[in-house]
Amino acid sequence: MMRSTYVVGIGSNRRGVHGSPAAEVAAALAALPGRVIDVAPIFPTAPLGPSIRRYANTAAVLESELAPGDLLHRLKTIEHTFGRRRGQRWGARVIDLDILLWSGGTWEEPGLIVPHTAFRTRDFVLGPLARVVPGWRDPISGLTVRHLNARLTRRRALPRRSGAGEGP
């Protein structure tokens, strides 16, 4: 396969062998297979689901000759090496590595769909993405990461109440 560009999401909300969640994220960055081109700042974010610990999240732009399925296998090996064990969905985890975007557009095989199916709806993903690849177009919607992030995070006006029963 020729060289591809990927965006990998990295998150942690549990101490591991490298230390704090931010230290786990930094160690995972150093372990990525390929050449890291850019990295977003680490964003502290609230957890989804039952976990009570805050996350450290970032996104890395990576060049690699690996096909998406092969890259996923390498990422899962890194997770295992860091001490990640499969368990409760959205539970605390020492490291989480996800392929978010791929320069080849879309990819689907058992266990892997690129772009990541939920990236458009998660501010803890779009925030870091907007810092490193704001102009990257989602191959499904055609919208840029910047536009997807603005749609998700823009303030919306409260709906107006009808005139009935208002006022003194």
Side-chain angles (χ1 to χ4, degrees):
M1 178 169 185
M2 26 188 283
R3 187 166 287 279
S4 292
T5 303
Y6 294 91
V7 183
V8 176
I10 305 169
S12 173
N13 75 337
R14 201 180 93 210
R15 293 183 66 80
V17 297
H18 303 99
S20 69
E24 294 298 326
V25 167
L29 282 165
L32 290 176
R35 184 171 76 90
V36 176
I37 299 169
D38 201 0
V39 180
I42 294 176
F43 285 69
T45 58
L48 285 180
S51 184
I52 59 171
R53 297 178 177 146
R54 292 186 63 74
Y55 270 86
N57 285 300
T58 192
V61 181
L62 177 73
E63 274 189 350
S64 175
E65 293 185 11
L66 295 171
D70 296 331
L71 177 60
L72 178 67
H73 177 73
R74 296 281 296 274
L75 296 178
K76 296 307 169 194
T77 299
I78 293 167
E79 287 180 348
H80 185 77
T81 302
F82 276 54
R84 168 120 187 235
R85 302 295 179 260
R86 295 288 170 208
Q88 183 180 29
R89 185 174 185 192
W90 296 328
R93 57 195 64 174
V94 69
I95 200 70
D96 187 26
L97 302 171
D98 291 312
I99 300 172
L100 302 173
L101 298 165
W102 171 51
S103 59
T106 61
W107 182 276
E108 189 167 347
E109 65 182 54
L112 176 62
I113 298 173
V114 180
H116 191 283
T117 57
F119 93 95
R120 296 168 202 86
T121 62
R122 296 180 173 171
D123 60 349
F124 64 87
V125 174
L126 285 173
L129 282 178
R131 296 298 279 278
V132 291
V133 291
W136 191 307
R137 286 204 180 273
D138 171 15
I140 306 298
S141 70
L143 300 174
T144 65
V145 166
R146 180 185 301 110
H147 193 162
L148 291 167
N149 189 46
R151 280 182 157 193
L152 187 66
T153 59
R154 75 174 176 244
R155 292 180 186 232
R156 292 175 178 89
L158 293 174
R160 296 182 142 227
R161 293 175 20 161
S162 68
E166 285 187 357

